């Protein structure tokens, strides 16, 4: 273990914003099908440095959310193939994501499969909103709308990562205004679980793990990915799924989050059958993940109970 990042100045430390599209909610049972990384180097404009579909080596599910099919990933590299590319993209960076509890679970699982047993320091752009007094925890599209950021297509990893880069620039301005200079200063404002990762050092270069580079990158949009100006399609199922990911990130539901979800359900006019399907998918993914090793310990049982309670509080859970 190194010195960590608490003493590093935020403005002088590169940040890599990651975004994954996956087959479901549970790392291990579900797999990554798309990865994008936007890198923000000190004094430079944020830029997309990695964007690729990923072959999960299992049937692609969640197509109704992210639009990716089995045929899309058939000739795409596996995560092990692009692990070196990802390390090169995030080398020396603090990692950020909009829902970091979700993305880090997948990053840690997939990188461990590739022989990289290290968790980099990371923070959550969604949780920085309340920490910096910029607003409540919410979906990415709602945050962009509130800050006047053009965001037309959700669940395309490159688009999501790029708008997160714009959000991070706004957060940087806010931190400078508030005198938050180092990552240690950030930790002193409020306590979040992801701050525990600040004792870790960033990922080293791919050569450290003897990982090579991959020439078979396959972007969803061709070899030169960029922001896509497509017409936004208001999909109630996608919007509710994203809201579900937000409130289930820590497996606890506050009164405020419950009120938010109930209001979202009314706004989106979802049928109870659609709600049941999405809640069932969330619970089934957790069951599949915990049952992979043919062993269900007390800790896993407690987590399943918490998830069941969360889903029940949100309107329906299996067995009701």
């Amino acid at each position: 273990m190194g010195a960590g990042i608490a003493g590093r100045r935020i403005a002088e430390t590169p940040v890599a914003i990651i975004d994954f599209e996956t087959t479901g909610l549970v790392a291990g049972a579900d797999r990554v099908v798309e990865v994008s990384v936007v890198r923000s180097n000190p004094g430079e404009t944020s830029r997309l440095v990695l964007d690729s579909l990923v072959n999960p080596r299992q049937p692609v599910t969640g197509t109704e959310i992210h639009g990716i099919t089995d045929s899309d990933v058939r000739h795409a590299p596996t995560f092990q193939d692009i692990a070196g590319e990802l390390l090169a993209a995030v080398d020396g960076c603090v990692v950020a994501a909009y829902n970091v509890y979700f993305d880090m679970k997948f990053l840690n699982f997939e990188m461990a499969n590739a022989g990289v047993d290290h968790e980099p320091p990371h923070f959550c752009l969604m949780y920085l909103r309340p920490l910096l007094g910029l607003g409540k925890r919410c979906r990415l599209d709602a945050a962009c709308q509130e800050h006047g950021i053009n965001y037309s297509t959700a669940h395309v990893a490159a688009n999501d990562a790029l708008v997160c880069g714009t959000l991070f620039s706004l957060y940087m301005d806010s931190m400078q205004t508030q005198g938050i200079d180092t990552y240690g200063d950030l930790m002193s404002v409020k306590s979040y679980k992801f701050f525990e990762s600040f004792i870790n050092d960033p990922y080293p270069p791919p050569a450290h793990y003897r990982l090579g580079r991959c020439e078979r990158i396959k972007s969803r949009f061709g070899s030169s990915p960029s922001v896509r100006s497509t017409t936004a399609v208001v999909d109630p199922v996608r919007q509710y799924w994203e809201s579900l990911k937000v409130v289930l990130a820590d497996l606890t539901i506050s009164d405020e989050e419950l009120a938010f979800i109930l209001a979202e359900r009314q706004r989106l006019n979802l049928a109870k059958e659609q709600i049941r399907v999405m809640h069932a998918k969330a619970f089934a993914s957790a069951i599949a993940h915990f049952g992979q090793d043919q062993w269900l310990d007390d800790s896993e049982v407690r987590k399943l109970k918490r998830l069941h309670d969360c889903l029940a509080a949100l309107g329906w859970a299996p067995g009701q």
Side-chain angles (χ1 to χ4, degrees):
M1 184 183 299
I5 64 165
R8 297 194 188 190
R9 297 191 68 231
I10 299 171
E12 296 177 355
T13 307
V15 170
I17 298 165
I18 62 172
D19 190 86
F20 293 132
E21 295 302 325
T22 68
T23 61
L25 292 176
V26 181
D30 297 304
R31 304 297 295 271
V32 169
V33 291
E34 187 175 38
V35 55
S36 292
V37 178
V38 165
R39 185 168 176 128
S40 178
N41 289 326
E44 299 179 8
T45 302
S46 297
R47 60 190 180 90
L48 188 65
V49 293
L50 176 62
D51 179 52
S52 183
L53 291 166
V54 178
N55 187 334
R57 289 187 170 175
Q58 66 184 46
V60 173
T61 53
T63 299
E64 72 279 9
I65 304 298
H66 47 60
I68 298 170
T69 66
D70 287 315
S71 62
D72 291 329
V73 301
R74 185 169 295 120
H75 301 296
T78 66
F79 201 98
Q80 287 186 321
D81 290 333
I82 64 167
E85 291 293 327
L86 194 148
L87 280 183
V90 304
D91 176 21
C93 293
V94 178
V95 171
Y98 192 75
N99 188 353
V100 83
Y101 292 125
F102 174 83
D103 289 284
M104 283 305 302
K105 289 175 185 176
F106 280 91
L107 179 64
N108 288 337
F109 174 82
E110 297 285 5
M111 292 302 280
N113 272 353
V116 180
D117 189 16
H118 175 72
E119 181 175 89
H122 54 270
F123 62 87
C124 186
L125 294 168
M126 179 172 64
Y127 281 84
L128 281 195
R129 280 174 50 78
L131 183 147
L132 296 173
L134 297 175
K136 298 178 181 179
R137 222 169 83 192
C138 63
R139 295 191 317 267
L140 177 57
D141 63 322
C144 289
Q145 183 177 11
E146 192 170 314
H147 291 292
I149 298 171
N150 182 29
Y151 178 50
S152 60
T153 307
H155 291 289
V156 174
N159 286 355
D160 291 354
L162 283 162
V163 296
C164 282
T166 303
L167 274 178
F168 179 62
S169 296
L170 295 176
Y171 293 174
M172 284 289 295
D173 292 341
S174 179
M175 285 187 279
Q176 291 174 3
T177 300
Q178 297 183 45
I180 300 173
D181 185 51
T182 68
Y183 282 100
D185 294 337
L186 196 63
M187 295 171 65
S188 68
V189 179
K190 198 170 184 178
S191 177
Y192 285 128
K193 184 175 176 58
F194 54 79
F195 285 148
E196 296 174 6
S197 72
F198 284 12
I199 64 172
N200 301 335
D201 287 328
Y203 279 131
H208 180 86
Y209 294 99
R210 298 181 180 178
L211 290 174
R213 306 296 292 271
C214 179
E215 297 181 358
R216 293 194 305 112
I217 299 300
K218 183 184 179 184
S219 168
R220 203 191 301 207
F221 300 106
S223 59
S224 300
S226 60
V227 180
R228 308 295 151 182
S229 298
T230 57
T231 302
V233 176
V234 179
D235 186 332
V237 171
R238 289 190 185 192
Q239 290 194 19
Y240 184 74
W241 183 256
E242 191 62 30
S243 298
L244 197 62
K245 283 171 57 180
V246 168
V247 300
L248 291 179
D250 53 4
L251 291 184
T252 59
I253 303 291
S254 67
D255 291 341
E256 181 182 46
E257 289 170 335
L258 179 57
F260 163 70
I261 284 289
L262 293 176
E264 281 290 275
R265 187 177 307 163
Q266 183 176 6
R267 181 181 71 86
L268 296 170
N269 195 30
L270 289 167
K272 63 181 181 181
E273 290 81 4
Q274 292 174 302
I275 298 294
R276 289 171 180 168
V277 166
M278 285 181 278
H279 288 200
K281 281 185 177 181
F283 198 74
S285 291
I287 289 285
H289 174 59
F290 292 138
Q292 275 186 321
D293 59 358
Q294 305 298 311
W295 188 267
L296 196 64
D297 61 33
D298 290 344
S299 174
E300 292 168 334
V301 169
R302 287 192 294 270
K303 289 179 181 178
L304 286 172
K305 176 63 165 60
R306 286 176 63 194
L307 178 57
H308 189 276
D309 290 345
C310 288
L311 294 173
L314 295 177
W316 183 83
Q320 285 189 320

